[in-house]
């Protein structure tokens, strides 16, 4: 074990307990992690505070940036190993895991290079006064990481936090944390001083809850379910600590009559099949204008029927569901929809000779889904695409916005004015026009509205999220 990193040392949980880690392709235990709890979290927060008071707190922004860029290099040097670790832990195809490793490197490269380019400002004030506004770190930042893209999500919040000089405590998901452990090792190798990054493995209700409620943290970032998001917000509020929440979505793909069908179909299918639908920004609702409904859905059905699910090594379109619990949730959503009369339009297939005991689900295209059906509004977090027809632009906008979520929207039309009109009316944090996801985009600010959460990640704005400003007023005569 020894999967807890505190003050630069790898240790077991204070009480010595562990958690069995299971391969989603077979359900078999393949390793064990330390089961950190409140006592371990307390040590981690203290170590982070000590780092801020020590070498890390005094380090120049340039030097911090160099360390992060060294880490990016080490991630690329170890890309194949990281990809193997991630694929084993999550079951995702090897090529997807390699892409994830590249994306993590990109986070540290981008924010490492940006570390010394965040400047303050001066304010003209009364005669004899000099006013400067400087940007300062928040202090100890808490990072609760989900299991769907474990390495990427760690990079997404950790890189800007460290770039701004915070000291971090990371709580990766108990369902997939092997890549987080390896990344933390590489961060030490890159020269990150002890305590600047601490990692506590364990259950969400134990280590996660203790971390977000700890009075020693100054900020918390959480990606996961809306229910736990509420708990995180409550816990941090008790200590007047700000939090950023990324809570998923029910993102629409809006396809108008004039859309380029051949271009749209593969991108739309990939946006729900990728990672077996376990993606916060998955395009899980397909809204199609009536004029091309039959033609478009027919093409989407062909593409869906060609989807194949398999193990990481077989490197097909997607892998298994992360855990038995998530598998049962998704199955229940599909079974309930079928029982209530929603037709299955098309379904992918499982590769032959999959290991027994794995949690594989064939991606499914369903519809037309009634607008008030659970499947039209609730996030499944699995490979299920709900199809719904719409009549005109107003109807499309109303339907697209008719969920509690607001993370991403896709708009497919060749009409430039309509592209802009519809984009403006989308209640979402991102809108993609005639594309979707667009390569991950470390540079592109990301985050939700409504129940999808608040706070922004990625892009330069993440550096503002991970810092605050201090106004210094100097009277010089
Ligand atoms: P979850 O929200 O329970 O877990 C996410 C992370 O939060 C994990 O690290 C977990 O250990 C931690 N956590 C759990 N309880 C906590 C608490 N009380 N305090 C602090 N941290 C806590 O997610 P889940 O149960 O694994 O998955 C359930 C649903 O969450 C999914 O079906 C999906 O809808 C959603 N989800 C969304 C994302 C996303 O990218 N937005 C990622 C994972 C899960």
């Amino acid at each position: 074990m020894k999967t807890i990193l505190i003050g630069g040392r790898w240790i077991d949980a204070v009480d010595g307990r562990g958690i069995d880690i299971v391969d989603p392709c077979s359900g078999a235990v393949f390793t064990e992690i330390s089961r950190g709890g409140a006592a371990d979290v307390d040590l981690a927060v203290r170590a982070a505070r000590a780092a801020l008071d020590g070498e890390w707190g005094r380090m120049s922004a340039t030097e911090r940036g160099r360390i992060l860029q060294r880490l990016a290099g080490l991630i690329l040097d170890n890309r194949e190993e990281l990809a193997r670790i991630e694929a084993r832990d999550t079951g995702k195809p090897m090529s997807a895991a390699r892409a994830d490793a590249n994306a993590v490197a990109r986070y540290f490269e981008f924010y490492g290079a940006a570390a010394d380019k965040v400047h303050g400002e001066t304010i003209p004030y009364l005669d004899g006064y000099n006013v400067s506004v400087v940007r300062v770190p928040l202090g100890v930042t808490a990072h609760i990481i989900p299991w769907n893209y474990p390495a990427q999500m760690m990079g997404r919040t950790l890189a800007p936090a460290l770039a701004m000089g915070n000291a971090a405590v990371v709580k990766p998901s108990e369902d997939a944390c092997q890549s987080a452990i390896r990344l933390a090792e590489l961060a030490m190798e890159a020269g990150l001083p002890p305590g600047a990054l601490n990692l506590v493995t364990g259950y969400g209700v134990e280590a996660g809850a203790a971390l977000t409620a700890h009075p020693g943290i100054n900020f918390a970032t959480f990606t996961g379910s809306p229910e736990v998001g509420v708990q995180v917000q409550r816990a941090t509020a008790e200590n007047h600590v700000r939090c950023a929440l990324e809570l998923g979505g029910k993102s629409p793909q809006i396809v108008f009559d004039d859309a380029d069908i051949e271009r749209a179909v593969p991108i739309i299918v990939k946006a729900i099949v990728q990672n077996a639908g376990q993606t916060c920004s998955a395009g899980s609702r397909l809204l199609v204008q009536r004029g091309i409904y039959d033609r478009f859905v027919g093409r989407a059905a062909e593409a869906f029927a060609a989807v194949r699910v398999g193990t990481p090594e077989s490197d097909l379109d997607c892998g298994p569901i992360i855990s038995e619990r998530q598998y049962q949730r998704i199955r229940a959503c599909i079974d309930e929809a079928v029982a209530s009369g929603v037709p299955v339009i098309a379904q992918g297939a499982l590769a032959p000779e999959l290991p027994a005991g794995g949690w594989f689900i064939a991606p499914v295209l369903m519809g037309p889904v009634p607008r008030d059906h659970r499947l039209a509004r609730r996030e499944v977090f699995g490979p299920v695409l709900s199809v719904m027809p719409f009549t005109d632009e107003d109807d499309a906008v109303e339907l697209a916005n008719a969920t509690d979520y607001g993370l991403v929207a896709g708009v497919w039309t060749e009409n430039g004015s309509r592209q802009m009109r519809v984009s403006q009316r989308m209640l979402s944090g991102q809108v993609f026009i005639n594309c979707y996801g667009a390569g991950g985009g470390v540079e592109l600010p990301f985050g939700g509205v409504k129940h999808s959460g608040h706070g922004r990640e990625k892009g330069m704005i993440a550096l503002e999220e991970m810092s605050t400003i201090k106004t210094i007023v100097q009277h010089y005569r």
Side-chain angles (χ1 to χ4, degrees):
M1 282 194 289
K2 289 197 191 318
T3 61
I4 294 178
L5 175 67
I6 292 177
R9 286 182 51 234
W10 287 99
I11 53 176
D12 279 324
V14 168
D15 63 15
R17 291 190 296 176
I19 301 172
D20 284 342
I21 299 299
V22 169
D23 178 349
C25 289
S26 64
V29 172
F30 72 93
T31 188
E32 194 183 6
I33 57 166
S34 307
R35 179 173 166 179
D40 308 279
V41 163
D42 188 52
L43 292 173
V45 173
R46 284 171 198 275
R49 180 63 56 194
L52 290 169
D53 294 338
E55 182 192 354
W56 178 242
R58 289 191 298 274
M59 192 176 281
S60 70
T62 306
E63 190 49 37
R64 288 200 305 267
R66 280 193 188 126
I67 293 173
L68 297 189
Q69 289 177 82
R70 266 203 298 279
L71 173 54
L74 285 173
I75 291 168
L76 291 177
D77 291 347
N78 293 277
R79 187 179 85 134
E80 199 57 25
E81 183 206 356
L82 268 170
R84 263 201 318 278
I85 290 171
E86 193 79 316
R88 177 76 196 266
D89 215 10
T90 61
K92 65 178 70 184
M94 271 306 288
S95 54
R98 283 189 196 105
D100 285 0
N102 282 341
V104 195
R106 185 79 190 104
Y107 279 113
F108 288 101
E109 184 181 63
F110 181 85
Y111 290 111
D116 59 1
K117 292 163 194 73
V118 179
H119 302 158
E121 56 183 17
T122 58
I123 295 181
Y125 194 51
L126 304 173
D127 186 36
Y129 284 84
N130 178 27
V131 179
S132 54
V133 180
V134 294
R135 205 156 259 289
V136 293
L138 295 164
V140 177
T141 53
H143 305 247
I144 310 283
I145 312 291
W147 41 259
N148 50 348
Y149 295 85
Q152 269 209 60
M153 295 290 170
M154 179 154 156
R156 186 162 105 185
T157 65
L158 185 63
L162 294 177
M164 293 313 290
N166 299 286
V169 180
V170 173
K171 209 302 279 174
S173 169
E174 58 273 34
D175 287 326
C177 61
Q178 302 303 316
S179 60
I181 294 165
R182 186 69 186 118
L183 281 174
E185 284 173 357
L186 292 175
M188 297 295 105
E189 201 179 320
L192 203 63
L197 166 61
N198 305 277
L199 183 122
V200 181
T201 52
Y203 288 119
V205 287
E206 296 176 354
L211 179 57
T212 51
H214 198 290
I217 65 164
N218 304 104
F219 174 78
T221 166
F222 168 81
T223 301
S225 60
E227 297 74 25
V228 177
V230 170
Q231 292 172 36
V232 168
Q233 189 148 322
R234 277 207 190 102
T236 50
E238 287 292 332
N239 294 312
H240 303 283
V241 163
R242 183 163 66 83
C243 66
L245 305 176
E246 200 272 82
L247 309 176
K250 188 75 182 176
S251 298
Q253 301 273 17
I254 312 169
V255 182
F256 286 94
D257 278 348
D258 65 339
D260 181 337
I261 297 181
E262 293 313 311
R263 187 162 142 206
V265 165
I267 297 175
I268 288 174
V269 171
K270 184 171 179 218
I272 184 69
V273 168
Q274 176 179 306
N275 218 38
Q278 307 167 111
T279 305
C280 47
S281 55
S284 53
R285 286 184 299 151
L286 175 56
L287 318 183
V288 188
Q289 197 162 13
R290 286 198 185 278
I292 54 161
Y293 187 85
D294 289 340
R295 205 146 57 93
F296 193 89
V297 173
R299 277 292 295 114
E302 282 169 25
F304 245 81
V307 166
R308 292 292 173 269
V309 185
T311 57
E313 299 70 34
S314 57
D315 211 17
L316 300 172
D317 299 297
C318 65
I321 303 304
I322 189 73
S323 63
E324 185 174 8
R325 191 168 64 121
Q326 284 299 111
Y327 173 88
Q328 297 298 357
R329 272 187 195 168
I330 297 165
R331 278 254 59 98
C333 285
I334 297 171
D335 294 347
E336 183 190 290
V338 170
S340 69
V342 179
V344 169
I345 301 168
Q347 191 151 23
L350 306 187
E353 294 167 22
L354 287 175
W359 301 304
F360 296 92
I361 290 184
V364 56
L365 178 67
M366 301 186 78
V369 177
R371 292 186 177 197
D372 57 356
H373 198 281
R374 267 167 68 97
L375 203 56
R377 294 170 183 268
R378 297 274 296 270
E379 187 183 45
V380 177
F381 221 64
V384 182
L385 182 57
S386 311
V387 191
M388 283 169 274
F390 67 84
T391 51
D392 57 18
E393 198 173 304
D394 282 341
D395 190 35
V397 169
E398 189 185 319
L399 182 56
N401 287 334
T403 74
D404 288 337
Y405 292 101
L407 195 58
V408 180
V411 181
W412 299 87
T413 173
E414 296 298 305
N415 179 328
S417 299
R418 180 189 278 152
Q419 290 171 356
M420 284 320 295
R421 280 196 307 270
V422 174
S423 303
Q424 301 277 6
R425 295 173 70 190
M426 283 300 100
L427 301 177
S428 65
Q430 285 188 332
V431 181
F432 289 95
I433 300 166
N434 292 340
C435 59
Y436 199 83
V442 172
E443 303 85 347
L444 314 177
F446 175 73
V449 300
K450 302 196 282 182
H451 290 199
S452 288
H454 49 73
R456 289 293 177 269
E457 300 175 304
K458 302 187 172 186
M460 293 299 280
I461 198 167
L463 297 168
E464 291 178 26
E465 287 274 345
M466 292 290 182
S467 60
T468 187
I469 52 173
K470 183 191 282 177
T471 308
I472 302 176
V473 182
Q474 176 193 28
H475 189 197
Y476 56 83
R477 43 161 217 220

